[in-house]
Amino acid sequence: MTNLDEPLRKVLGDKTAKVLSKGLDLHTVGDLLHHYPRRYAHRGELTPLNELADGEHVTVMAEVVKVQGRTLSRSPGYVLEITVTDGTGELKLSFFGRRGSYIPERDLSPGTRGLFAGKISTYRPRSGRPQRQLAHPQYKVVAARDADAAAREWADEIIPIYPTTKGLDIDAIGKSVATVLDLADLGDDPMPEVLRKRLGMISLADAYEGIHRPKDWEQLGRARKRLKWDEAFVLQIALAQRRRAAAALPARPRPSTGDGILHAFDQRLPFDLTEGQLQVGAEIAADLAKSHPMHRLLQGDVGAGKTMVALRAMLQVVDNGGQAALLAPTEVLAQQHYRSITKMLGELGQAGQIGGAEAATRVTLVTGAQGAKVRRASLLEAASGDAGIVVGTHALLEDHVQFADLGLVVVDEQHRFGVEQRDALREKVSGGRPHVLVMTATPIPRTVAMTVFGDLETSVLGQLPAGRSTISTHVVPPEKPAFLARTWERIREEAGKGRQVYIVCPRIGEKEGDEGDVPAPDEEGRRSPLGIMELLPMLEGELLAGLRIGVLHGKLHPDEKDAVMRRFTVGELDVLLATTVIEVGVDVPNATGMVIMDADRFGVSQLHQLRGRVGRGTLPGLCLLVTDAEPGSKARERLDAVASTTDGFALSRLDLEQRREGDVLGAAQAGRASSLRLLTLQRDEDVIRLAREEATALVEDDPELERHPGLAAELASLLDEERTEYLEKT
């Protein structure tokens, strides 16, 4: 017997172990047992030889009537041809290789009866009519007396199809799995016996047997059910322990005072908050009043009023003597937030200034592009506590940026920041942790996964504020060239009405080799995506001649970017030609149209964010997705989905379906390594929720898993050093 940590070289030999390690990243007995088949095949019903069709996978029972080998002029040099019959017709079995190298030559002599399975093909000899054949078929010799029973058993056998690698085919991997399966000592079952019996689950040993060597489909189903549960349950144990530890972390409570700046702000609002904003605001206010850190996701479709909710939370903290930091991913967005918050607060944001209210705070901006004098003043306001609200970019994360009493961190568009970056802000609090509020319109797949797993409290704003307009989205496809011509007409029409339009390209394209945001050509060999500097001459020369066009991209100096945005904001430009630098936060109520060129080169979340720049006033918004993606392609399906809904969570689930959730316990994002093998969020939410309930109860009863050694061992193998460090930071 061997344990799960045993290196494969000690069980399978150096040669096989080396191939498994290099090709499939499998190093131990446990790794190989978790290398589950990607699908299963079975040979199916017996097919009479006179009913065979090209391309079909068939199983036939027949008798060998002729065995003949012949030399080939081309590699591999020799073919063994065996003719079989079942009385209805004849079929050739072809085995290519070296003379004398085939077991079939010994097994399948004339008069032998056997079962043969493979894919039917037709070949035409140099002389004679076309003939049906099976190349390298699977076969089983059967005795005449038990032929019928053997045929049924062999045809019904379930065949595991494993992910393979160069140097090891499916059969070799299957034999390796069978070897370790027979030798493995699984130790204590990680699932508590009482729970296993209550849920009607099979043992772990039976589950491994059923997933790798199922005798029937029912056994396979029971095995998959148990192993899916283990993935969900062990993961939920880790998250339950983490929630328990987080609840023990100190955070200064920031309860609502009922008066102060927040009360004055609410009294001066020229509109009523939506029911959604009031409900979500109450959830956040309750979290801020607790003595352990809030960790909440605020999800709301573009234009739902997330910034208003976040500002009210920040004011609640300021009323309690604390500070709030708003972390934005770009200079443009940081400046936009600074201006909009300053405008919304009015005299309530002018503490110590002429015209400031008696009860007021101060708002300051910290970015990397500020001049030395302005930056020093901003840093002093943050460090002294004079600024209750500090808005900034990644510059806020630098070591020399200090706060007097940081009570709340608001992260706008969390997918633009890594865990390390978000953690850096929280470390600026001594003797505790700040509360954290994360805002997004379309959560990345991993965030959706964390909400499903229950590791992230979620508030959803689904109601647009009064006066906000709807956005209609349409695909401009390659099969309808007239639609593209109409696109430029629509831009002219909007400009003729005094309205403004964004045109977005995937890259800058200002010189050869400059690919901007999107690499090109892509992996499918398509042309390079369009750059704004390539499109600009066409717009100015013919398509939109006479319109006032501005250009905005990430390589412009911050002062230039700010100047262009100001001109567009005050209506001095009809069209803003830009990259994704305008993806979040840009707020121009008069902008009613957006054209996204090569829209299939953007992700679902990006498209949803981009179109959120229009329809921000009382006028309806229009978004046109220009693409050369063909109907039926995955790219086209994505665009059609974006055009069909404005529900950010629905689009995130589409993203999740196409890219997977990444590693819920590690830093990997969607499409990369996952600790999940069988469990999927799309199909197994009920399993995940039940596992959370059971795991939470077990951890409350036995926090350190002292009475559950098998579960503790399984958890230790799941949480390597990197994942443990990641959990501590998140």
Side-chain angles (χ1 to χ4, degrees):
M1 300 299 288
T2 182
N3 62 45
L4 298 182
D5 294 327
E6 192 77 38
L8 285 173
R9 59 182 173 79
K10 292 188 176 182
V11 182
L12 302 175
D14 287 338
K15 183 179 179 181
T16 300
K18 187 175 182 180
V19 176
L20 288 170
S21 174
K22 184 178 180 181
L24 296 170
D25 197 26
L26 304 176
H27 311 281
T28 66
V29 168
D31 290 342
L32 187 54
L33 284 183
H34 287 103
H35 186 66
Y36 302 139
R38 56 186 171 85
R39 65 181 179 88
Y40 297 84
H42 73 113
R43 299 183 181 92
E45 296 297 320
L46 298 181
T47 307
L49 296 189
N50 63 349
E51 296 180 9
L52 300 179
D54 260 15
E56 287 185 345
H57 289 271
V58 300
T59 300
V60 300
M61 178 179 281
E63 181 176 317
V64 177
V65 295
K66 185 179 181 182
V67 178
Q68 180 180 357
R70 59 187 176 89
T71 302
L72 301 174
S73 57
R74 63 185 185 280
S75 179
Y78 184 75
V79 59
L80 176 66
E81 294 180 327
I82 298 176
T83 305
V84 297
T85 182
D86 67 349
T88 69
E90 287 191 348
L91 177 67
K92 275 231 182 326
L93 314 178
S94 301
F95 298 88
F96 297 88
R98 297 188 307 275
R99 181 188 297 272
S101 64
Y102 288 112
I103 295 175
E105 201 162 3
R106 298 192 298 271
D107 289 345
L108 302 176
S109 57
T112 302
R113 192 172 177 83
L115 292 154
F116 308 96
K119 184 178 180 180
I120 290 293
S121 61
T122 298
Y123 78 101
R124 183 184 295 274
R126 291 181 180 177
S127 59
R129 56 188 177 82
Q131 295 185 24
R132 294 273 167 77
Q133 73 167 352
L134 289 177
H136 286 282
Q138 294 178 308
Y139 69 91
K140 179 182 178 70
V141 175
V142 296
R145 63 181 181 277
D146 59 3
D148 290 341
R152 283 196 302 273
E153 181 183 337
W154 202 68
D156 290 341
E157 183 183 346
I158 299 172
I159 305 166
I161 307 297
Y162 290 94
T164 58
T165 186
K166 184 178 180 181
L168 280 181
D169 60 17
I170 291 171
D171 286 341
I173 291 177
K175 289 175 182 176
S176 298
V177 171
T179 298
V180 300
L181 197 58
D182 291 334
L183 295 175
D185 178 4
L186 302 181
D188 293 327
D189 193 319
M191 188 173 178
E193 186 175 0
V194 173
L195 178 59
R196 181 169 65 82
K197 289 181 177 178
R198 175 155 54 82
L199 297 180
M201 300 275 189
I202 61 176
S203 70
L204 183 59
D206 288 343
Y208 283 138
E209 182 70 26
I211 200 82
H212 290 296
R213 295 190 291 214
K215 293 182 174 58
D216 52 46
W217 297 104
E218 184 179 349
Q219 183 188 17
L220 175 59
R222 290 195 301 268
R224 289 178 64 87
K225 179 181 178 182
R226 167 62 204 267
L227 294 171
K228 271 189 181 185
W229 170 266
D230 278 16
E231 288 185 6
F233 187 61
V234 176
L235 184 53
Q236 288 292 8
I237 289 289
L239 297 179
Q241 287 183 331
R242 164 180 150 154
R243 287 192 296 270
R244 184 181 175 86
L249 287 173
R252 181 176 169 183
R254 312 281 181 171
S256 177
T257 61
D259 54 10
I261 303 175
L262 175 57
H263 177 71
F265 177 74
D266 286 345
Q267 292 295 107
R268 299 182 193 197
L269 282 177
F271 52 81
D272 293 329
L273 296 172
T274 66
E275 289 183 14
Q277 286 174 317
L278 291 170
Q279 179 183 338
V280 169
E283 293 171 353
I284 294 171
D287 280 357
L288 292 175
K290 294 176 181 176
S291 57
H292 59 266
M294 173 180 74
H295 188 201
R296 182 170 288 273
L297 171 72
L298 174 56
Q299 192 274 332
D301 286 334
V302 177
K306 296 187 295 295
T307 304
M308 175 61 70
V309 171
L311 176 55
R312 295 183 70 248
M314 289 190 278
L315 292 178
Q316 179 173 327
V317 171
V318 171
D319 281 339
N320 274 272
Q323 293 170 284
L326 195 163
L327 185 60
T330 65
E331 297 266 353
V332 170
L333 180 54
Q335 291 168 346
Q336 180 76 39
H337 274 311
Y338 173 70
R339 285 195 292 266
S340 63
I341 289 173
T342 302
K343 181 179 179 182
M344 284 191 284
L345 287 176
E347 62 183 19
L348 297 174
Q350 300 171 5
Q353 301 175 28
I354 296 175
E358 184 177 347
T361 187
R362 197 176 296 174
V363 185
T364 195
L365 176 68
V366 177
T367 72
Q370 289 174 317
K373 183 177 180 181
V374 174
R375 185 176 172 82
R376 276 197 303 271
S378 296
L379 294 177
L380 181 60
E381 288 190 330
S384 66
D386 289 344
I389 296 175
V390 182
V391 180
T393 58
H394 297 75
L396 284 181
L397 308 176
E398 295 172 6
D399 290 340
H400 62 270
V401 178
Q402 299 297 322
F403 295 85
D405 182 12
L406 182 59
L408 172 65
V409 175
V410 179
V411 182
D412 196 7
E413 295 310 327
Q414 46 89 29
H415 64 283
R416 304 290 284 270
F417 295 95
V419 171
E420 299 279 354
Q421 293 169 313
R422 299 199 297 271
D423 187 59
L425 256 185
R426 292 193 299 206
E427 293 304 317
K428 294 180 182 292
V429 179
S430 59
R433 288 287 185 104
H435 300 284
V436 177
L437 178 66
V438 174
M439 300 193 297
T440 187
T442 47
I444 58 174
R446 187 179 175 277
T447 303
V448 177
M450 291 175 71
T451 62
V452 173
F453 277 99
D455 196 45
L456 191 60
E457 297 297 333
T458 308
S459 295
V460 179
L461 280 176
Q463 180 184 4
L464 290 178
R468 270 289 165 85
S469 300
T470 56
I471 304 171
S472 58
T473 307
H474 304 279
V475 177
V476 180
E479 68 269 19
K480 296 181 179 179
F483 280 25
L484 184 57
R486 176 66 181 139
T487 296
W488 310 119
E489 292 176 8
R490 278 304 310 267
I491 294 175
R492 286 189 171 280
E493 290 170 6
E494 292 297 303
K497 297 174 184 176
R499 302 168 188 171
Q500 294 161 283
V501 176
Y502 299 97
I503 300 177
V504 181
C505 292
R507 66 189 186 101
I508 302 171
E510 61 185 1
K511 61 181 182 295
E512 186 177 355
D514 173 21
E515 305 304 341
D517 297 304
V518 178
D522 71 358
E523 65 278 3
E524 296 175 7
R526 295 179 295 176
R527 62 165 176 78
S528 298
L530 193 62
I532 58 176
M533 304 312 292
E534 297 162 348
L535 182 59
L536 182 61
M538 292 185 271
L539 298 180
E540 293 177 329
E542 178 183 354
L543 298 175
L544 301 178
L547 297 188
R548 300 169 297 174
I549 302 173
V551 173
L552 185 68
H553 58 76
K555 292 192 175 181
L556 291 175
H557 187 277
D559 290 344
E560 292 180 84
K561 286 190 281 189
D562 198 38
V564 173
M565 274 310 307
R566 285 182 181 276
R567 290 185 65 202
F568 190 66
T569 301
V570 300
E572 294 178 3
L573 297 173
D574 302 307
V575 175
L576 184 62
L577 178 61
T579 58
T580 54
V581 70
I582 60 143
E583 180 182 344
V584 289
V586 177
D587 188 2
V588 181
N590 192 50
T592 56
M594 173 170 287
V595 177
I596 303 178
M597 307 302 296
D598 287 320
D600 53 285
R601 306 300 179 98
F602 296 94
V604 169
S605 295
Q606 275 189 310
L607 292 172
H608 186 57
Q609 290 284 2
L610 285 167
R611 70 172 166 191
R613 301 310 102 208
V614 300
R616 301 184 70 84
T618 57
L619 300 169
L622 172 68
C623 179
L624 300 176
L625 307 176
V626 180
T627 180
D628 59 4
E630 296 297 330
S633 64
K634 279 195 172 295
R636 188 66 171 273
E637 288 176 11
R638 277 203 319 274
L639 298 185
D640 290 340
V642 172
S644 69
T645 182
T646 56
D647 184 333
F649 250 115
L651 291 173
S652 294
R653 284 183 174 272
L654 170 72
D655 219 6
L656 178 66
E657 185 178 343
Q658 294 194 344
R659 295 200 287 146
R660 290 298 302 271
E661 60 276 355
D663 190 349
V664 179
L665 288 182
Q669 296 294 348
R672 297 181 64 194
S674 175
S675 53
L676 308 180
R677 294 176 175 87
L678 298 176
L679 197 72
T680 63
L681 272 69
Q682 296 296 91
R683 297 190 298 269
D684 300 316
E685 282 194 40
D686 290 344
V687 176
I688 292 166
R689 290 197 174 99
L690 178 59
R692 183 188 185 192
E693 293 173 11
E694 296 289 355
T696 301
L698 189 146
V699 168
E700 285 296 317
D701 180 60
D702 183 12
E704 301 302 322
L705 306 181
E706 294 175 352
R707 300 194 302 276
H708 301 89
L711 184 56
E714 186 72 13
L715 183 64
S717 68
L718 177 69
L719 292 180
D720 56 21
E721 185 176 344
E722 180 183 350
R723 285 177 174 147
T724 301
E725 182 181 359
Y726 180 87
L727 281 178
E728 288 174 356
K729 289 179 177 177
T730 56

